[in-house]
Every structure is written in structure tokens, then in C-alpha cells.
Amino acid sequence: MKEINDIIKAYDQALRMGEQSALATVVHVEGSSYRREGARMLITEKGQLTGAISGGCLEGDALRKALLAMAQQRPMLVTYDTNDEDDATIGLGLGCNGIIQVLIEPINATKANNPIVLLKALAAKRQKGVLVTLFSLHDKKAIQPGTRLLLTPDQNHGDAFELTNILLKDAQTVLLQQQSVFKEYIFETAPVDAFIEMILPAVALIIIGAGNDVIPLVKMADILGWQSTIVDGRPEYARAERFTAGCQVLLSKPENLLDQITIDDRTVFLLMTHNYNYDKTMLPFL
């Protein structure tokens, strides 16, 4: 989710500056690659890159392709074949062996359900979601439908599409099983591929303890995109200014903590107050 949130911020900034942007998404991988399906990168017309689709090897070429997609206002599917020993075929030394399909979608800000709108709907709540992206491996020169549907536990978002009912059923299965899948459908006698992607909310890290060793831990969690909450019963330690700006700091007794936070199956607790009695009192509540 961190990459998605960073992309949303970068898009909003580009929009304020009046810049066009495009979203590059790894939609299919055969073999090995640095990033897997679902990796995303926002590209602005001035060349700013947010997120990544590889270890740094594909981004330059993806930028050039994205500028073309923005100029044509047409999504395109780009294939990077790193199995080829002759890296000159794409002019890059990639160091991996796989075939990587990257969908590049110019973002039309006037379109009600453009890909960024769907990402924003997903990020607006702490919830699981399934994002459906359509493309054609059979005919890469055909019009690529792109990111079309978002299903969350409480509703779905997206443009009307002839395959919507079938996609919804398959997306509901993915939401239930929490496992991304690829599907091929037949649309107007031609095959269309779907990456039905399960996206989970960020890990919520509840750290019981606000000692000095928690400070670097919170920084690491922030890099990972985890949502940190720090809890301590000592007012001299439980001070927000000691930690990363994005984290929450609570001054609480063990018996009151669970009434102040929300817990789900993506929540992790760490007991590290270095105060044996506090940790011992907290543990039965957990």
C-alpha cells in the first residue's frame, strides 16, 4: 500500500501543476524479475518517477513509452524479454531471466473511474480490495482496456464493461481466497486477459514501549509502509515528537489500550517496554 499511497500523492501534485501523467503496472511475469505483478510506477510528462517496476533497469525505457502513451492518449502493453542473452534488443543489462508485461495507461483526470480514482477508493479505507486490470497478450497492438474494476467488501467501483458480471464473480472469489489470479476471457470473439489482483491493507504495527530502541524500529516500519502506533504508560517516553511524524503515540495503561485502537488480521503487536511488569500486565489482554 505504501507504493499506492506514494503514487496518489505524486499524481495529485502533478495535477496541481497541470502536468499529464501515466501509470505503469507490471501485469504479467514469466520467469524471474525484480518486481512482481502489481508493481506500479507513476510517470509525469516532466519525467518524475514515483514507485518502480524493476530494480531500475526498465524505468528509463518505460518513461519513453509513457510519454508516447500520453501524447496518443492510448494505453499500451510493453513487453520486456530478459531471457534474451543479447541485451542490445532493448539496450539494457537486466540481470534477470523473464518476460515482463507492463501496461502503461495515460491518466485522464476527467474520467470518473480512471486508475488513480480506483486506487484512491482502495486507499480511502483500511480494507482489502481486488483490482481488475484488463489487457491483451494475444494482440498487443489492440486497444488495451486497462484498470477497470475495484471490488471491496462494501462496494465495487469501475466503468461499465461487457464482462462486468463475470469479472465480479471472479473478483469475489479472489477477495474470499485472498490470492491474485490471471484469467482469460473471450470478448467479441477475441481473447482478453485479466490480472485480478488481491491488495491487502498495510500492516498495523502496535509497539508496546517507547524506549530509544523503538525510534529506529519505527523508521524501518515507515520505509516498509507499515502503520505504527506506539504505546507506553510513561509520559516522558510517550511523546510524539520523539518519533516519525506519521506514527500515532498513545499514553495508556495496559487495561485501557484495546479500547483506543482497532485490531484486524493485519495487526501485529510487539512487547518491548523493558518493563517486565507492564509487559506482563499487557500480555493477557492481547
Side-chain angles (χ1 to χ4, degrees), residues 25-39 53-54 58 77-80 82-83 96-102 135 137 182 195:
T25 305
V26 177
V27 293
H28 194 267
V29 173
E30 296 177 40
S32 65
S33 68
Y34 288 106
R35 299 295 310 272
R36 302 303 299 177
E37 296 90 346
I53 57 171
S54 75
L58 304 181
L77 187 66
V78 182
T79 300
Y80 296 100
T82 64
N83 287 313
C96 55
N97 293 288
I99 300 174
I100 306 159
Q101 308 289 348
V102 178
F135 54 98
L137 292 173
F182 294 93
F195 174 36

Side-chain angles (χ1 to χ4, degrees), residues 6-19:
D6 289 345
I7 284 171
I8 290 170
K9 291 178 184 177
Y11 171 77
D12 287 341
Q13 175 66 20
L15 197 61
R16 287 192 294 270
M17 299 295 291
E19 296 180 37

